[in-house]
Amino acid sequence: MTLDSRIGSVTQRIIDRSRSSRTAYLERLNRAAGQGPARAHLSCSNAAHAYAASGDAKASLAADRAPNLGIVTAYNDMLSAHQPYEAYPALIREAAKAAGATAQVAGGVPAMCDGVTQGRAGMELSLMSRDAIALAAGVALSHDCFDAGLWLGVCDKIVPGLVIAAASFGHVPAVLVPAGPMTSGLPNDQKAKVRQEFAAGKATREDLMAAEMASYHGPGTCTFYGTANTNQMLMEFMGLQLPGSAFVNPGTEIRAAMTRAAVSRAAAITNLGNDWRPAGHILTEKAFVNGLVGLMATGGSTNLVLHLPAMAHAAGIHLELDDFADIAKAVPLMAKVYPNGLADVNHFHAAGGLAYMIGQLLDAGLLHEDVETVAGSGLGLYAREPKLIDGTLTWTDGPRETLNDRILRPVADPFQPHGGLTQLNGNLGRGVIKTSAVDPSRQIIEAPARVFSDQEQVKAAFKAGEFTGDTVVVVRFQGPRANGMPELHSLTPLLAVLQDRGLKVALVTDGRMSGASGKVPAAIHMAPEAAKGGPIACVQDGDMVRLDATTGDLDVLAPDFAKRTPVTADLSANDWGCGRDLFARLRGNASDSTHGASILF
């Protein structure tokens, strides 16, 4: 199928915009690759230190002829999505040996759970942890002993941080190795209902705890389509992990087989062989456009509007909000997975999953097929799905028809004709709204503002019964420089209660919302942020605010708005507690949300 001209146009302008930086990046990559295998340059003392504890692999490592794979792991057993990684190093070493290679754990990176820190001080470290992960992963690979990297990570900030580091070591092949989602528990909509009932005083804490534990009940990623599972989608669309590996449950035979296959593939694509596939050659402008297409077609997490520019920057590529907006206009919404619908990612996978979706989008000319991936040449490889037949892992053609059109639909008959995210512009600055989960009747609101400086003030106003009419809740001083740009997901049940009472409500903030946030219209990532004197710092209680998600307009309807002086706030309390003091200076140098809210670039 001929490439859709709209996709081609966005791709070409990204190429043109990035020409200088991308050229410099590739020149650095080629210089590094030209030096040959890194281990060949280790002195005997360097090498002896590196291989001292490698046991039976020591002789092979010292010979410098077999690929040595570096494992960068985000394992901890508090984070359910990463608990399965505890057993991966042993499995990887065994698979590497079978493939004629060796493997070592190069290092570990932090992995925090946003579900644990929601509404708490630790959430203010969440976004900044992405860049800390990239830094830690860079330290892990700095030993310069590895012919390819195996990157173990799933969740929100972990995958973007790992990809940033993989791009920094762009001459080294990188294979992302997922762990998969937990099996389905209490349906996500039922869990959300109990949360709302608790917020309204109609359910006890015991009721709430029972619902939460029945939903989050075992190893693996949370089953809703939030940031973690959006990451997994993205890695397939961008060709950084094996086809069909995103949504296979942990602890299954096929999951273990796919992990072994990832190791074998990493060993096969090093610079020691004839099929060198370095990370920097996979992370191209076309790959990032394919990622944008996947984000829109699935109605993925708004957090990727922050992460994709940061990942791209590490590879010498510059993404702008206009790229997201124009891809959204070209790509239909094909999936309805909670919070966009009732299904979870296991149901999505069973309905045809990514193999079906990628096949559809390729047939419609909405994806670049001519890309390099860790699996081989061409994105068509990702329209296949893995099967374990008589103990042997193989890939077969994916489904050509959806197996459940309430969850997954073809390009020709989508849930809506445009993608699940909409860029916002107006006299409040620039931001984004996730429309895929918002009922069309709620996508336009004009109501007076109530202005708050933190989410605790909103909760107090709710408990005091102060929200009695249509309201636009403005929560400012939540941007990257103010306090690290935390997610404000703990406000969702409260605002949903107000909606269910028949009120029209919306949230406007320079902070973030969780990928799990859904039915309440939320204009987020507003930039410039309040801490930099952005327009959101000029809003006053009672100002009429109009949010129109159908046109992408967000404005304060006050004739004197442009003449107002931005208010300031005492943010000193954000600089201590739960490690926030360690990040205070870094936060002060963070970029705007429009450029990834990064402390690195």
Side-chain angles (χ1 to χ4, degrees):
M1 174 66 70
T2 303
L3 184 70
D4 187 289
S5 61
R6 297 167 294 178
I7 304 298
S9 177
V10 172
T11 305
Q12 188 58 52
R13 78 180 182 217
I14 294 171
I15 291 171
D16 293 341
R17 181 193 305 138
S18 308
R19 195 174 307 281
S20 176
S21 55
R22 179 67 176 172
T23 298
Y25 172 82
L26 292 174
E27 287 174 352
R28 293 193 299 271
L29 185 158
N30 290 330
R31 282 198 302 271
Q35 296 174 5
R39 284 179 297 136
H41 302 289
L42 296 178
S43 71
C44 292
S45 177
N46 294 151
H49 278 84
Y51 311 147
S54 59
D56 294 343
K58 190 179 296 186
S60 180
L61 284 163
D64 283 343
R65 288 189 291 270
N68 187 33
L69 311 179
I71 305 166
V72 179
T73 177
Y75 162 72
N76 68 57
D77 61 9
M78 184 274 295
L79 180 53
S80 66
H82 288 197
Q83 187 274 344
Y85 286 136
E86 181 176 11
Y88 274 43
L91 176 62
I92 288 170
R93 292 189 192 98
E94 175 189 314
K97 185 176 182 179
T102 57
Q104 295 177 286
V105 175
V109 302
M112 68 182 294
C113 178
D114 288 0
V116 175
T117 59
Q118 284 292 346
R120 302 181 58 79
M123 173 51 71
E124 296 182 12
L125 273 62
S126 174
L127 182 57
M128 299 295 110
S129 77
R130 178 196 64 198
D131 294 356
I133 289 162
L135 294 170
V139 172
L141 286 194
S142 68
H143 295 98
D144 213 17
C145 296
F146 308 108
D147 301 297
L150 292 163
W151 303 82
L152 313 187
V154 174
C155 281
D156 299 22
K157 267 59 63 184
I158 294 91
V159 166
L162 295 179
V163 172
I164 289 170
S168 179
F169 288 80
H171 62 291
V172 179
V175 179
L176 274 288
V177 187
M182 68 177 70
T183 56
S184 300
L186 180 74
N188 286 292
D189 62 315
Q190 293 183 33
K191 172 196 66 183
K193 181 180 179 181
V194 176
R195 285 180 176 177
Q196 289 179 224
E197 290 175 345
F198 179 75
K202 297 178 180 179
T204 67
R205 184 172 180 82
E206 289 74 20
D207 295 332
L208 180 62
M209 180 59 79
E212 298 285 1
M213 296 291 281
S215 182
Y216 307 116
H217 63 89
T221 317
C222 305
T223 60
F224 57 80
Y225 193 55
T227 309
N229 286 316
T230 302
N231 285 339
Q232 297 311 295
M233 171 280 299
L234 198 69
M235 292 302 96
E236 290 205 31
F237 269 76
M238 294 178 65
L240 282 172
Q241 64 191 32
L242 291 184
S245 60
F247 301 130
V248 175
N249 302 125
T252 59
E253 290 185 14
I254 190 170
R255 177 84 274 167
M258 295 205 70
T259 300
R260 293 188 188 95
V263 177
S264 178
R265 191 60 188 152
I269 61 175
T270 75
N271 206 11
L272 297 172
N274 299 317
D275 191 22
W276 180 50
R277 293 178 177 276
H281 287 181
I282 291 173
L283 291 167
T284 64
E285 296 91 339
K286 290 181 179 180
F288 278 100
V289 169
N290 284 347
L292 292 176
V293 170
L295 179 65
M296 300 309 168
T298 59
S301 169
T302 53
N303 280 319
L304 273 298
V305 180
L306 299 170
H307 298 323
L308 276 163
M311 289 188 279
H313 196 289
I317 296 167
H318 297 286
L319 300 181
E320 300 287 350
L321 289 185
D322 289 344
D323 303 325
F324 288 82
D326 289 345
I327 293 293
K329 293 173 185 174
V331 177
L333 179 67
M334 298 171 62
K336 280 282 189 181
V337 186
Y338 190 86
N340 307 333
L342 297 179
D344 66 22
V345 292
N346 294 311
H347 305 138
F348 168 79
H349 188 62
L354 295 180
Y356 170 79
M357 180 175 278
I358 289 173
Q360 278 281 310
L361 291 165
L362 283 170
D363 289 347
L366 292 170
L367 285 170
H368 291 282
E369 203 283 329
D370 56 334
V371 293
E372 298 301 327
T373 77
V374 297
S377 296
L379 195 64
L381 295 170
Y382 288 75
R384 302 184 303 163
E385 58 184 8
K387 293 183 179 178
L388 195 61
I389 301 174
D390 296 328
T392 300
L393 185 66
T394 187
W395 275 263
T396 61
D397 289 341
R400 303 299 295 173
E401 302 288 337
T402 176
L403 302 180
N404 188 332
D405 64 6
R406 293 173 297 174
I407 300 171
L408 189 57
R409 288 186 181 175
V411 170
D413 182 28
F415 290 101
Q416 62 186 45
H418 53 79
L421 301 177
T422 299
Q423 180 181 271
L424 298 172
N425 289 284
N427 64 8
L428 269 172
R430 303 181 77 184
V432 65
I433 184 171
K434 182 175 182 177
T435 57
S436 53
V438 178
D439 188 275
S441 67
R442 298 190 180 277
Q443 294 189 12
I444 300 174
I445 177 173
E446 186 174 312
R450 280 292 308 275
V451 183
F452 304 91
S453 294
D454 63 57
Q455 54 187 320
E456 293 307 315
Q457 294 174 358
V458 182
K459 294 174 184 177
F462 176 85
K463 289 178 181 178
E466 295 178 13
F467 297 110
T468 57
D470 295 350
T471 309
V472 174
V473 177
V474 178
V475 187
R476 60 193 179 195
F477 296 104
Q478 304 298 305
R481 293 200 180 191
N483 63 350
M485 205 177 183
E487 291 183 348
L488 307 180
H489 182 57
S490 64
L491 297 182
T492 297
L494 314 183
L495 300 178
V497 167
L498 298 179
Q499 257 190 186
D500 290 348
R501 290 175 181 170
L503 302 181
K504 279 200 165 187
V505 294
L507 175 70
V508 175
T509 181
D510 48 7
R512 298 184 293 131
M513 288 298 276
S514 165
S517 302
K519 65 180 186 178
V520 177
I524 60 177
H525 306 178
M526 297 308 300
E529 65 175 290
K532 292 180 67 176
I536 194 172
C538 298
V539 185
Q540 299 174 359
D541 281 339
D543 282 340
M544 293 299 294
V545 178
R546 181 175 175 81
L547 167 62
D548 188 338
T550 66
T551 61
D553 294 321
L554 177 59
D555 293 285
V556 174
L557 307 179
D560 67 334
F561 187 70
K563 299 177 182 179
R564 293 180 186 173
T565 300
V567 302
T568 59
D570 180 2
L571 302 175
S572 59
N574 298 338
D575 291 341
W576 62 273
C578 268
R580 289 180 293 176
D581 50 316
L582 302 175
F583 284 78
R585 182 168 294 186
L586 297 175
R587 286 200 308 269
N589 293 301
S591 62
D592 276 348
S593 62
T594 53
H595 292 96
S598 177
I599 60 176
L600 299 178
F601 310 116

